[in-house]
Structure formats: C-alpha cells, structure tokens
Amino acid sequence: MTIQRLDHFTIRTERWDETAAFFAHVIGLQPGPRPAFRFPGHWLYASGKPILHIVSMTEDRAELEAYLGVKTPQPGGGSIDHVSLRGDDLGATQQHFVALNIAFRERVIPEVGEHQLFVEDPNGITVEIIFPYSPAAKIVGQAMPTLEVAEPWEQRHD
C-alpha cells in the first residue's frame, strides 16, 4: 500500500460557519457542493477537490453521530497538532494575512527547501502553509526560532 496524498480532513465544531469563513477568506479554500447529509456542514475545495469537511456540532447530534460516530469536542482539535497545506506566492499570502490583520508565525528551513507560515483557525487548530524556500524571501510575520539540524537533510535521507 502506498499513500499518495492527503485526501481531506474533517473538523467537528460548534463554530462551523465561522470556521468555513476562516478557511475561505483567510486560507483561500473555495466553498463547494456537499452531499445532502442530515446534519449541517460545509465542504471547502482546493484545485477542484474537496479537502476540508466541516461538520456542525449542533445540539441535535443524532444524525451526525449516526454517520461519523460519537466524539467529545476538544479545544484545539484534540490529537490533531496541525494541518499542513502547500501554497504558492508566499509574498501575496503574507500580505493577505497582514491586510486581514491575521496574526501568523513563520519559519524558514533551507535544508528542506521550505518557508512555513502558521495561523490558528477559530477552533485553535494550527494551519501550516508551506511555500518553496527562496533566499530573497522576507519574514513578515512573527519569526519562529530556527531549528538546529544535527546533520544535513541529504545525509539523513540517502
């Protein structure tokens, strides 16, 4: 078996409309069609594919729990540490966050060719967006500490 890519992730939340608005307006996913489930929610798309399923933790959860099972809501997504997405146009994304007054952190990891931005969604889930590294790129958000690498990436993964 070989895993090819992330298919989608699902967030259960009482703040389902706010969460959908965040991922649409801040992250840039597009709202799209969703099957006629018997519980409220949203599907958001990237490149024509539904990658985020948001389900409402309404007071009447019978239909949701019949479909997905019972889960206790946990701040920050419980065992999810973060969700990582690939992006393009680092500068435009940084300026988009600044224009929206969205706090974000960022880190550069030249050894793996990445420039990472981190934001928090309305539920406290960290969303990472990875861009190709460029020596000319500037840190605009809150700079995160540079990670000390014990040995070059190439040597660890040969």
Side-chain angles (χ1 to χ4, degrees):
M1 177 176 82
T2 302
I3 302 300
Q4 298 174 344
R5 64 177 174 83
L6 173 71
D7 185 80
H8 73 274
F9 62 104
T10 300
I11 298 174
R12 291 187 195 204
T13 179
E14 293 174 351
R15 303 168 77 174
W16 60 294
D17 282 331
E18 184 181 352
T19 301
F22 171 86
F23 278 93
H25 299 296
V26 175
I27 302 301
L29 299 181
Q30 298 80 39
R34 177 181 180 264
F37 296 120
R38 294 181 170 205
F39 49 89
H42 298 283
W43 278 17
L44 287 104
Y45 288 66
S47 301
K49 305 287 184 197
I51 67 164
L52 172 55
H53 301 174
I54 300 170
V55 293
S56 173
M57 298 289 292
T58 60
E59 290 182 25
D60 180 11
R61 298 179 186 169
E63 294 289 345
L64 169 64
E65 290 175 350
Y67 188 75
L68 290 178
V70 177
K71 287 214 178 195
T72 305
Q74 304 207 4
S79 61
I80 293 177
D81 180 73
H82 69 279
V83 175
S84 182
L85 306 168
R86 289 272 169 187
D88 60 13
D89 204 340
L90 170 67
T93 304
Q94 290 167 319
Q95 292 311 309
H96 175 65
F97 290 169
V98 168
L100 292 175
N101 199 29
I102 299 291
F104 64 101
R105 303 175 315 280
E106 54 188 304
R107 172 185 294 134
V108 173
I109 308 176
E111 295 86 359
V112 295
E114 294 181 351
H115 191 127
Q116 305 166 326
L117 302 184
F118 297 88
V119 296
E120 307 298 319
D121 92 335
N123 305 287
I125 297 171
T126 299
V127 179
E128 172 188 15
I129 306 174
I130 299 173
F131 299 88
Y133 168 71
S134 167
K138 306 285 185 232
I139 300 262
V140 175
Q142 176 187 355
M144 298 173 70
T146 302
L147 300 176
E148 295 296 323
V149 178
E151 58 183 286
W153 173 262
E154 295 80 17
Q155 291 177 6
R156 291 193 313 258
H157 292 89
D158 282 340

